Amino acid sequence: MSVLVLVLAVSAACCLGFGFVLQQNAAQRAPLGDFLSPRLLLDLVRVPLWLAGMGLMVAGMVLGAIALGGGELTLVEPLLATNLLFALALSRIQTRQPLGPQGWAGLTLLAGGVTAFILAGEPRGGSAVSDPLRHWLIIGVMLGVAVLLTACAGRFRLTWGPTLLALAAGLLYGVQDALTRVSGRRFSAGGLSELLTGWQPYTVVILGVTGLVLVQSAFETAPLRRSLPALTAAQPLAGIACGVGFLGDRLRTDTAALAWEAAGLASVVAGIVLLGLHPAMPQGTGESGRERALQRR
């Protein structure tokens, strides 16, 4: 494991975690009529707090992209999932809530799960799968599930909507990370001309904007605890699936290693859920009033 990749990935997670909290603090005040509309971004771009959160998120994405250029997706994605630790740290400052047994348990499960997965799997690079059918099959399944989740979210805005939107965004971001790595490989192989002649960089932008609308719509309608855990859990799982599925990332596959890898991922998800439901996570302001407004629509 490259120490530089480790530092870049954790730094990216820090920027993402802080950025998500600031974005949610601003998005919860956005007009409800902008739900799942690009107009939401036009309204939020006038809010300095949201711009600060976006700046941190962009910085995190850039650092993550650099990390992906030097490390395997199956290594970087679990490290990016630690963004929830940094989000909780900032939220604790805002809410003055103690970490408590739940926070320590979530922290231990998340950090331990990431460590177990990396040590057991020993992620390493390999030859990318050349069969385009396999590429499109994996990407198509991810995007299809994301579309289905988004459609369901529109019908259950008051209950499962924010969680479903966050899951959909996490899947899109996982695919985006995979295509970012492919774009980096094309740039390394042939420079800017090779990069711009492929469809991947343009798809990265489209997925990024679409995911942003989904995330901000989730942040707009519910507290952070109902969206960020789902987003944080879905992104690394989707990214790992793409890394192993068609990017050529390799993990150890003996019985003991597979058991530890599965246990590590399960621990990561459990830790994310515990931290996401921690009382320190922002509850949002005026939530009941927003729900009544949604019910009148």
Side-chain angles (χ1 to χ4, degrees), residues 116-117 119-122 251-264:
F117 178 82
L119 292 180
E122 297 181 2
L251 297 168
R252 289 178 57 194
T253 55
D254 57 273
T255 303
L258 288 175
W260 277 105
E261 290 162 24

Side-chain angles (χ1 to χ4, degrees), residues 85-157:
L85 299 177
F86 299 100
L88 181 63
L90 180 56
S91 297
R92 282 191 65 211
I93 296 175
Q94 294 178 341
T95 62
R96 301 182 184 277
Q97 287 278 353
L99 196 59
Q102 178 179 342
W104 283 112
L107 188 154
T108 302
L109 285 171
L110 178 54
V114 170
T115 302
F117 178 82
I118 292 175
L119 292 180
E122 297 181 2
R124 54 201 182 279
S127 300
V129 177
S130 59
D131 182 9
L133 179 61
R134 190 164 172 178
H135 287 235
W136 289 112
L137 179 62
I138 296 173
I139 294 175
V141 169
M142 298 289 182
L143 299 185
V145 173
V147 170
L148 180 61
L149 290 171
T150 303
C152 293
R155 301 184 60 183
F156 302 102
R157 279 199 279 180

Side-chain angles (χ1 to χ4, degrees), residues 37-115:
S37 170
R39 291 195 310 272
L40 176 59
L41 302 183
L42 297 178
D43 286 326
L44 290 174
V45 78
R46 304 187 185 99
V47 182
L49 184 63
W50 186 82
L51 290 176
M54 271 302 300
L56 285 170
M57 181 178 176
V58 170
M61 294 176 69
V62 171
L63 291 172
I66 298 174
L68 287 170
E72 286 67 46
L73 199 63
T74 47
L75 168 63
V76 175
E77 286 289 2
L79 294 172
L80 292 179
T82 61
N83 73 78
L84 199 60
L85 299 177
F86 299 100
L88 181 63
L90 180 56
S91 297
R92 282 191 65 211
I93 296 175
Q94 294 178 341
T95 62
R96 301 182 184 277
Q97 287 278 353
L99 196 59
Q102 178 179 342
W104 283 112
L107 188 154
T108 302
L109 285 171
L110 178 54
V114 170
T115 302

Side-chain angles (χ1 to χ4, degrees), residues 6-279:
L6 175 64
V7 171
L8 287 170
V10 174
S11 299
C14 178
C15 291
L16 290 172
F18 289 169
F20 285 144
V21 174
L22 297 182
Q23 288 173 41
Q24 198 275 334
N25 289 344
Q28 65 184 356
R29 301 181 180 89
L32 291 172
D34 289 348
F35 183 77
L36 287 180
S37 170
R39 291 195 310 272
L40 176 59
L41 302 183
L42 297 178
D43 286 326
L44 290 174
V45 78
R46 304 187 185 99
V47 182
L49 184 63
W50 186 82
L51 290 176
M54 271 302 300
L56 285 170
M57 181 178 176
V58 170
M61 294 176 69
V62 171
L63 291 172
I66 298 174
L68 287 170
E72 286 67 46
L73 199 63
T74 47
L75 168 63
V76 175
E77 286 289 2
L79 294 172
L80 292 179
T82 61
N83 73 78
L84 199 60
L85 299 177
F86 299 100
L88 181 63
L90 180 56
S91 297
R92 282 191 65 211
I93 296 175
Q94 294 178 341
T95 62
R96 301 182 184 277
Q97 287 278 353
L99 196 59
Q102 178 179 342
W104 283 112
L107 188 154
T108 302
L109 285 171
L110 178 54
V114 170
T115 302
F117 178 82
I118 292 175
L119 292 180
E122 297 181 2
R124 54 201 182 279
S127 300
V129 177
S130 59
D131 182 9
L133 179 61
R134 190 164 172 178
H135 287 235
W136 289 112
L137 179 62
I138 296 173
I139 294 175
V141 169
M142 298 289 182
L143 299 185
V145 173
V147 170
L148 180 61
L149 290 171
T150 303
C152 293
R155 301 184 60 183
F156 302 102
R157 279 199 279 180
L158 296 179
T159 53
W160 291 98
T163 302
L164 296 177
L165 287 179
L167 284 172
L171 294 177
L172 295 185
Y173 285 152
V175 175
Q176 181 190 38
D177 289 341
L179 296 182
T180 298
R181 179 156 177 78
V182 175
S183 299
R185 287 178 175 178
R186 292 180 64 90
F187 181 78
S188 298
L192 190 61
S193 59
E194 177 72 14
L195 173 65
L196 296 180
T197 55
W199 56 270
Q200 292 88 353
Y202 308 103
T203 307
V204 166
V205 175
I206 294 172
L207 291 176
V209 174
T210 305
L212 187 60
V213 172
L214 297 180
V215 168
Q216 302 309 316
S217 294
F219 288 171
E220 176 192 27
T221 53
L224 203 62
R225 63 173 60 192
R226 290 174 57 186
S227 55
L228 191 54
L231 172 65
T232 307
Q235 181 175 352
L237 295 179
I240 291 171
C242 291
V244 175
F246 62 83
L247 287 180
D249 287 8
R250 299 169 61 187
L251 297 168
R252 289 178 57 194
T253 55
D254 57 273
T255 303
L258 288 175
W260 277 105
E261 290 162 24
L265 289 178
S267 179
V268 167
V269 173
I272 286 171
V273 172
L274 283 177
L275 292 175
L277 296 177
H278 194 278

